[in-house]
Amino acid sequence: MTGNNVRLQAIKDVEAYVPPTPIHPEETPGDIFGENVFSISVMQRRLPKTVFKSVLATIERSEPLDPLVADAVASAMKDWAMEKGATHYAHVFYPLTGLTAEKHDSFLDPVGDGTAFASFSGKTLIQGEPDASSFPNGGLRNTFEARGYTGWDVMSPAYVLENPNGNTLCIPTVFISMTGEALDHKTPVLRSQQAMAVHAERVLRLFGHDEPERVVAYCGPEQEYFLVDSHFFLARPDLLNAGRTLFGAKPPKGQEFDDHYFGAIPERVLGFMMDTERELFKLGIPAKTRHNEVAPGQFEVAPMFERANEASDHQQLLMTTFKTVAKKHGMECLFHEKPFAGVNGSGKHVNFSLGNSQLGSLLVPGDNPHDNAQFLVFCAAVIRAVHQYGGLLRVSVASASNDHRLGANEAPPAIISIFLGEQLADVFDQIAKGGATRSKEKGTLTIGVDTLPDLTKDPGDRNRTSPFAFTGNRFEFRAPGSLQTVAAPMVVINTIMAEALDYCATNLEEAVAAGTDFNEAVQTLLADIVAEHGSVIFNGNGYSDEWPVEAEQRGLKNLRTTVDALPELISPEAIELFGKYAVFNEREMHSRYEIGCEQYILTVGVEANLTLEIGTTTVLPAAIRYQTELASNVAALKAAGVEADLSTLQSVSAPIADLRAGLATLAAAIDHEHDEDPLVTATALRDTVLPAMLAVRTAADTLEGLIADDLWPLPTYQEMLYIL
Ligand code: ADP
Ligand code: MG
């Protein structure tokens, strides 16, 4: 009977597995960094001067691309890529599934006489038509306009991706419909970046920067992930198909000891990390820190921050690289937000700031009152943005998988509030108070400013429970999930900052035009923003039971689940906001809403079916086998005239009955008709299917603690989390 036990076989295989010998390459990171990137310096070397200048203007100052240079760039790019062994090129795009998609084409064109020559024109560089009609489009691609186009994003560098079977030149692209509507995550990042920049620069001009360089949003994502041995992974159909365990009792030793957090990294994992870093460096991705995370088997990698657009592409590439390299090391990299119930989940903190190379981060307190006033205006804009559009920030990180993490007492709650730290909160407090007498006292601003030198010291009072925290030179949005693209939250951050900076600039411009002293106008603006939006500032414990109650009194939204959050996308305020700043039109908003519903329905649907299948074909049979063993033991004892103790048999029979009942309820819940309104279907899944899955799981997890170990078929939490 046990011969077929995949779990026991997996344990044997894990024991026998010899990880690859760590390579200790001679080169330093500096030697290989950006080796496979068609970077600015490569372009400078390989492009005619005028062409290079033109491309640089697009990259650095967002000037429109001159199509006439495309042929020259394409030709240089092709030569460079072929020298690096590339045989194919691919337009890489980011469809709304959240994944990365690529369509590969060969450089070689058959000539007709049986030979072929390498071709790659400007036209093929600039535009592709991948068809790709199966990607979700939320109604944006009816059959008559079914075509989707990819378009070269000059601002994100092309690169060569190595593969044992041949290398590919990858060109980051946008993905749009024939009517120009966005079908991807990149297009709105670029649009929102542009909107934010316009208004940030208006504010800078008011502060005397007559010709500010283009302001950009920077993004530094911290990626958490789990590693499990591939043998265990393959023996868990739930991990394999859903990315998370749908069954599994909590191990006797959980994360209570905190002995893993920042502990020594296991040798095998270190080998993997070094390998991933080499690959990332080659691709020009600046991986910076690595350490163990809270849960056993959990780790983190944080690349250096980059422009949001590039950071977002790199983040996707990082995830792909991690998955590929993990396999080489006999492991599986899990990016799901909650692969193991009862064990810490994974997030992807999105650190963001605004700035440019001329002025640095605009979210850093300055050395003098004037600079500090500018800093405070940018901070106040963040306060206004987050207060007005907390719901949009929430929906930007909403997914079926992140629902297991947000608000579950280990991640920030689903309420979006801001943590400023004691010092900054105090400054805004004073500004608010000073506001009452500002018209009489001209120097009120200095009340706040006097305390500012303190700000430059590292704010040690970090609050890990806040979803949106000021951390000295940036804000850290902690609600994004580990599996998600950072593009969605960055689009929202850019757009709501565009609105808030627009408001600040307009306000100040008008005041100055009306003859108000500039400092006084700033003081008034700051005081007004704190008065109107200060209720979003919360420095207390976000995990406490009191906070949701207080948040409600403050009028802050608490959108607990994806289903609660999705309608934010089609609220009149959201449609107006995104329309005004030309990030999304109404159709695009609706399409995103529908795709959000669709993705939720698909995810929960797959999980429900898996639960049903694993419960029926794996857990129940194992339980029945054990029950049969016990029953025959009872019968044998009885036949021998020995008094049989029925308690073990009974203790197994009760959860078996629960499991059967749970499976029947789940099957019935799954069978429910899908409603025409996707939100109704999603709501039903949340309210009936998820609880039914949980009931099945509870019975199965109880059985896991009762059944003879040699009969239990699924690798346990203990095994998956502690054997690496
Ligand atoms: P912590 O764990 O303390 O939050 P980490 O070092 O793990 O810090 O990660 C910090 C992240 O913040 C990195 O990705 C880093 O690049 C990013 N970061 C630092 N400064 C900025 C900034 N000005 N703008 C955006 N991101 C930043
Ligand atoms: Mg952090």
Side-chain angles (χ1 to χ4, degrees):
M1 198 79 79
T2 55
N4 294 330
N5 187 315
V6 285
R7 169 176 155 251
L8 299 180
Q9 188 57 48
I11 294 174
K12 277 193 201 133
D13 292 342
V14 172
E15 276 165 2
Y17 178 77
V18 184
T21 326
I23 33 167
H24 296 290
E26 299 273 303
E27 89 266 330
T28 62
D31 296 337
I32 54 167
F33 192 82
E35 181 180 278
N36 287 349
V37 183
F38 194 66
S39 60
I40 291 180
S41 64
V42 174
M43 284 194 260
Q44 187 165 22
R45 263 182 281 128
R46 290 182 170 250
L47 293 176
K49 236 195 189 113
T50 47
V51 174
F52 174 67
K53 268 196 172 158
S54 166
V55 174
L56 198 66
T58 303
I59 295 174
E60 291 192 339
R61 296 192 295 281
S62 312
E63 285 174 18
L65 176 74
D66 175 1
L68 296 176
V69 306
D71 272 329
V73 179
S75 158
M77 205 187 262
K78 182 201 70 193
D79 291 346
W80 170 82
M82 289 182 81
E83 281 164 32
K84 299 225 161 263
T87 53
H88 287 66
Y89 68 92
H91 275 199
V92 177
F93 56 101
Y94 309 93
L96 294 172
T97 48
L99 304 173
T100 307
E102 31 191 79
K103 183 187 178 227
H104 293 218
D105 282 295
S106 171
F107 281 126
L108 293 181
D109 270 344
V111 183
D113 61 358
T115 63
F117 77 99
S119 77
F120 184 61
S121 67
K123 206 169 144 253
T124 23
L125 167 65
I126 288 188
Q127 187 176 318
E129 193 188 337
D131 182 35
S133 51
S134 318
F135 287 114
N137 64 77
L140 285 181
R141 296 169 77 188
N142 301 323
T143 32
F144 67 88
E145 54 180 38
R147 275 185 285 187
Y149 293 100
T150 50
W152 179 32
D153 169 18
V154 188
M155 315 237 248
S156 189
Y159 54 93
V160 164
L161 200 58
E162 293 176 2
N163 185 293
N165 300 317
N167 298 346
T168 305
L169 167 67
C170 294
I171 301 151
T173 61
V174 295
F175 182 42
I176 51 174
S177 75
M178 206 175 152
T179 47
E181 278 154 332
L183 297 169
D184 68 346
H185 281 296
K186 181 189 269 289
T187 308
V189 172
L190 296 172
R191 290 178 185 161
S192 64
Q193 157 62 36
Q194 204 167 314
M196 181 279 294
V198 169
H199 301 290
E201 287 158 26
R202 276 173 70 203
V203 172
L204 287 178
R205 268 186 228 106
L206 282 158
F207 277 94
H209 305 284
D210 290 335
E211 278 183 54
E213 263 178 32
R214 179 107 293 206
V215 171
V216 294
Y218 294 112
C219 166
E222 295 165 57
Q223 174 77 56
E224 293 179 331
Y225 59 95
F226 279 85
L227 290 171
V228 294
D229 192 286
S230 301
H231 298 95
F232 291 137
F233 176 79
L234 293 172
R236 294 283 314 212
D238 44 3
L239 269 187
L240 189 64
N241 292 294
R244 75 174 177 112
T245 53
L246 299 165
F247 297 90
K250 206 170 174 275
K253 183 183 172 192
Q255 65 193 54
E256 299 85 359
F257 294 103
D258 267 349
D259 49 0
H260 178 72
Y261 193 38
F262 279 81
I265 300 171
E267 198 173 322
R268 181 174 174 196
V269 174
L270 199 55
F272 155 82
M273 286 178 171
M274 288 163 72
D275 236 8
T276 54
E277 276 164 25
R278 281 193 80 226
E279 295 307 319
L280 294 179
F281 282 155
K282 283 197 265 179
L283 293 165
I285 302 176
K288 198 181 63 127
T289 57
R290 54 184 185 204
H291 58 76
N292 289 0
E293 260 305 324
V294 180
Q298 192 187 29
F299 306 91
E300 180 186 295
V301 56
M304 274 285 292
F305 66 94
E306 300 175 286
R307 294 168 175 216
N309 175 37
E310 219 176 328
S312 155
D313 289 1
H314 278 169
Q315 177 58 35
Q316 296 292 108
L317 197 49
L318 179 146
M319 291 202 281
T320 318
T321 306
F322 269 51
K323 286 230 163 252
T324 315
V325 175
K327 281 192 210 298
K328 273 198 239 161
H329 288 256
M331 295 183 291
E332 200 62 40
C333 183
L334 309 178
F335 287 118
H336 194 284
E337 282 83 0
K338 197 76 180 174
F340 305 99
V343 175
N344 199 58
S346 300
K348 177 145 58 200
H349 296 176
V350 170
N351 295 269
F352 98 94
S353 62
L354 307 179
N356 58 31
S357 50
Q358 175 193 33
L359 300 169
S361 170
L362 297 170
L363 295 173
V364 177
D367 299 328
N368 57 60
H370 182 77
D371 286 355
N372 274 332
Q374 179 186 304
F375 159 70
L376 289 176
V377 168
F378 277 92
C379 279
V382 175
I383 293 170
R384 174 182 165 91
V386 175
H387 183 238
Q388 286 204 115
Y389 299 109
L392 283 175
L393 285 168
R394 170 67 184 91
V395 73
S396 77
V397 299
S399 71
S401 52
N402 206 22
D403 277 2
H404 297 288
R405 177 178 158 267
L406 277 190
N409 236 22
E410 53 158 86
I415 307 160
I416 306 293
S417 64
I418 291 190
F419 169 78
L420 286 181
E422 244 174 66
Q423 292 161 330
L424 196 53
D426 182 48
V427 169
F428 274 105
D429 221 31
Q430 291 184 49
I431 289 168
K433 286 187 192 128
T437 52
R438 65 178 178 262
S439 53
K440 287 177 212 120
E441 278 177 69
K442 234 185 164 187
T444 335
L445 188 63
T446 49
I447 296 174
V449 167
D450 283 345
T451 65
L452 283 180
D454 275 341
L455 273 178
T456 47
K457 73 176 187 230
D458 190 18
D461 52 345
R462 309 200 50 175
N463 182 331
R464 298 242 156 230
T465 69
S466 173
F468 211 96
F470 180 68
T471 52
N473 63 349
R474 62 188 189 271
F475 279 86
E476 182 170 339
F477 185 28
R478 300 207 179 98
S482 48
L483 192 57
Q484 298 174 333
T485 158
V486 300
M490 282 313 301
V491 168
V492 170
I493 289 172
N494 274 337
T495 311
I496 65 182
M497 283 304 289
E499 192 281 340
L501 291 167
D502 184 5
Y503 170 85
C504 293
T506 306
N507 194 299
L508 293 175
E509 283 161 3
E510 282 172 7
V512 171
T516 313
D517 169 71
F518 182 65
N519 278 345
E520 209 177 304
V522 170
Q523 164 71 21
T524 310
L525 174 72
L526 294 176
D528 287 352
I529 289 181
V530 180
E532 200 179 339
H533 304 292
S535 60
V536 76
I537 301 168
F538 176 63
N539 289 332
N541 178 7
Y543 294 179
S544 71
D545 293 336
E546 294 81 42
W547 173 228
V549 181
E550 189 186 328
E552 199 182 334
Q553 286 160 1
R554 292 182 182 208
L556 301 179
K557 288 179 178 164
N558 186 1
L559 304 166
R560 276 171 231 277
T561 66
T562 298
V563 176
D564 299 314
L566 280 169
E568 293 291 311
L569 282 175
I570 47 169
S571 73
E573 304 82 62
I575 289 173
E576 200 203 312
L577 171 80
F578 283 105
K580 180 169 177 193
Y581 294 98
V583 177
F584 290 127
N585 64 28
E586 189 166 351
R587 263 161 58 90
E588 289 173 315
M589 295 295 284
H590 271 277
S591 92
R592 266 150 223 261
Y593 163 76
E594 274 179 29
I595 291 164
C597 292
E598 238 172 62
Q599 293 286 315
Y600 184 88
I601 294 168
L602 280 174
T603 307
V604 179
V606 165
E607 288 184 350
N609 282 314
L610 269 170
T611 304
L612 192 60
E613 186 184 299
I614 298 170
T616 310
T617 64
T618 307
V619 179
L620 189 60
I624 291 174
R625 276 180 201 145
Y626 186 50
Q627 191 185 36
T628 309
E629 249 181 46
L630 291 172
S632 39
N633 168 259
V634 169
L637 290 175
K638 273 198 180 143
V642 181
E643 199 192 332
D645 180 352
L646 293 178
S647 64
T648 313
L649 180 56
Q650 282 158 353
S651 72
V652 176
S653 297
I656 288 180
D658 291 345
L659 181 61
R660 283 211 174 90
L663 289 168
T665 311
L666 178 59
I670 292 174
D671 253 359
H672 237 72
E673 285 285 315
H674 276 206
D675 196 274
E676 212 172 284
D677 179 349
L679 194 67
V680 173
T681 306
T683 310
L685 286 169
R686 181 194 65 186
D687 295 340
T688 57
V689 172
L690 283 178
M693 283 164 58
L694 204 57
V696 169
R697 178 185 187 139
T698 306
D701 291 357
T702 307
L703 286 166
E704 186 182 332
L706 297 170
I707 289 178
D709 185 66
D710 64 338
L711 288 177
W712 188 252
L714 297 167
T716 65
Y717 272 27
Q718 182 98 328
E719 288 150 3
M720 289 185 285
L721 289 167
Y722 285 96
I723 305 179
L724 261 186

